[in-house]
Every structure is written in C-alpha cells, then in structure tokens.
Amino acid sequence: MSTELSPIDKAKFVAAKKAVEFVEDGMRVGLGTGSTAAWMVRCLGELVRDEGLKIKGVPTSTRTAQLAREVGIEVVSLDAAKWLDITIDGADEFDGDLNLIKGGGGALLQEKIVATASDQMIVIADAGKEVETLGQFPLPVELVPFGWQTTQALIEETLVSLDVLARKSTLRMNGDTPFVTDEGNHILDLHLKRIGNAQQTAMVLNQMPGVVENGLFIDICDRVVIGYGDGRVEVRDINAGTIEENMLDFVESENVFSDLAD
C-alpha cells in the first residue's frame, strides 16, 4: 500500500469527502462508477461504520455494488428504491454549464438512469476534468451487439451533419474481445475532439436504431465538487448560481483509501 497519495488522488479524495457531506441519514443514494466515485463509496462506508449513517445505496455497476457491500453500505435495486434523494458520481469531462461526458468506465446506461431518477446529481472531479467545450474525451455510445458495424457506419455518416470537429469511432475492446457492459452491450467511442452542440448530438444519436444510450449528460448535474491536490475544494451549484471554496484537512492516516487507483 502506498504511504502517500499522489496529488491527483488527493484531489479525488477531498472532492469525494466534501460531496458526502450532502448525504443525510435515511437517504436513498445513487452510487456512481469509476475511480473518483470509488473514493466516495469508501467515504460513505466510513460514515456508515464510524458515525452510524443509515442509507440505502443504488449502485450503477456490478463493481460499485461489490465495493459498497464491502464497506458496509446497504445495497438495493433502483426498482426497490423507486426514487433517489441524491446521486454522486464522477465525470470524464464537464463544461461551464455542468454538462458532462460520462462512460469512460463503461457504465453510462445505468449511470444515466440512476442520475435522472434522483432529486439531485452531484459530480465529483479533479480540476483537470473541466473543459471549455466538451469533446476532447471520447464520447461513449452504448450499442446492441446485433449489427453493431452497421450502426457504427450510420453513426459516422450522421456525424457529418453535426457540429463536431472529427468523426472517428472505435469499438471499445477488453483485450482481444469487445468490451461488454453490464447489460451485455458494446461501447463505441466517438473521437469528436469538439462537440459544438451537445444537446443536438445527444438527441440525434439516441434516435438511431441500435443505439441504446450515449454518454452526454445534459441538464442533469446540479452541483460539481472539484478537488485539488493541496486539499482545496470548490463547489459549484448551477441552480443557485453559487461557488463555494473550502480547504479540507488531509490526514495521512486516511491512506486506507490509497488502494484505489485508476
């Protein structure tokens, strides 16, 4: 186990630690997927263990469900929870309007379903995830396996009419075989470089046969919690139009979390 966290991992940790302050006793909480969200799940588990926090967690992937159970969080299905008070998740990119690209971990479908079934969504991220315009990170699109190459060709043809800078797409792989999502689908990564109209792009992609969902999260995120390697945390609330800055103490004994890596 590492004796000291890197600046990027410290940034993820303090963002996660700040975000769980919004979780209250009795809440139904959507649990995101990815390296940053894993810090959040561990922080919630610590509150459950040490402070008696009582919550029901709805995970967005099988690996998040496993981690949540390991740290003592009660895990329920979304159907059982019906509606959530809050979802906390990471993002691959976010812009000034808190629109997101998600799905780098391959869980975008469950992440979007859970996020939209919540009263509020909080995104936790390090400062490097903020961009002026979405698109530098490849946009994931979940496809049904049947006829995926035909769907890929249709997507690339359609991209010609959209406000994007590039139109390359690649099937996500897991070694020598296609990556398979929890729902048994494939992921096509669109290397667009710049997405001029994210809302239009999301709508057009989702109208195509074979496309299950895309990784553009538009008008879903309510707050973003940005962590920095020196312990600073910035909270931006898109609804209230506020920006709040804090400094969190980072205790080296909290390196119990340092087994979490990208």
Side-chain angles (χ1 to χ4, degrees), residues 170-220:
T170 55
L171 183 69
R172 188 176 301 184
M173 303 295 289
N174 182 16
D176 296 329
T177 59
F179 175 86
V180 178
T181 70
D182 281 353
E183 290 74 35
N185 297 317
H186 294 334
I187 295 282
L188 192 69
D189 288 311
L190 308 185
H191 306 268
L192 307 179
K193 302 300 183 182
R194 182 187 61 81
I195 303 173
N197 189 329
Q199 185 172 29
Q200 179 193 42
T201 301
M203 291 178 61
V204 169
L205 287 172
N206 277 9
Q207 290 173 347
M208 303 188 68
V211 172
V212 180
E213 189 52 84
N214 71 85
L216 285 166
F217 284 51
I218 311 299
D219 296 330
I220 296 176

Side-chain angles (χ1 to χ4, degrees), residues 151-168:
T151 305
Q152 179 184 26
L154 289 171
I155 288 173
E156 291 182 345
E157 181 179 340
T158 301
L159 289 173
V160 174
S161 63
L162 297 177
D163 185 8
V164 297
L165 189 60
R167 296 185 294 274
K168 180 182 177 182

Side-chain angles (χ1 to χ4, degrees), residues 236-257:
R236 300 184 194 171
D237 187 319
I238 193 69
N239 300 311
T242 57
I243 299 176
E244 174 188 331
E245 288 195 9
N246 301 100
M247 177 70 74
L248 296 188
D249 291 330
F250 186 85
V251 181
E252 289 302 324
S253 63
E254 289 170 330
N255 284 345
V256 293
F257 297 99

Side-chain angles (χ1 to χ4, degrees), residues 54-145:
K54 290 180 170 51
I55 59 172
K56 295 182 186 295
V58 175
T60 54
S61 66
T62 54
R63 59 187 181 275
T64 294
Q66 179 180 353
L67 177 59
R69 292 188 179 100
E70 288 174 0
V71 300
I73 297 173
E74 180 183 356
V75 171
V76 300
S77 69
L78 181 58
D79 286 335
K82 300 188 185 307
W83 193 260
L84 305 180
D85 299 287
I86 190 172
T87 287
I88 305 176
D89 204 346
D92 299 303
E93 281 187 349
F94 68 92
D95 65 14
D97 295 321
L98 304 195
N99 294 317
L100 322 169
I101 286 182
K102 289 180 52 56
L108 65 99
L109 178 57
Q110 288 190 19
E111 288 174 335
K112 189 174 282 190
I113 292 171
V114 168
T116 53
S118 305
D119 286 337
Q120 59 175 317
M121 181 192 189
I122 296 178
V123 161
I124 48 178
D126 60 87
K129 300 296 176 63
E130 182 172 13
V131 295
E132 184 174 342
T133 305
L134 296 177
Q136 281 297 318
F137 191 90
L139 174 63
V141 179
E142 187 159 340
L143 310 176
V144 295

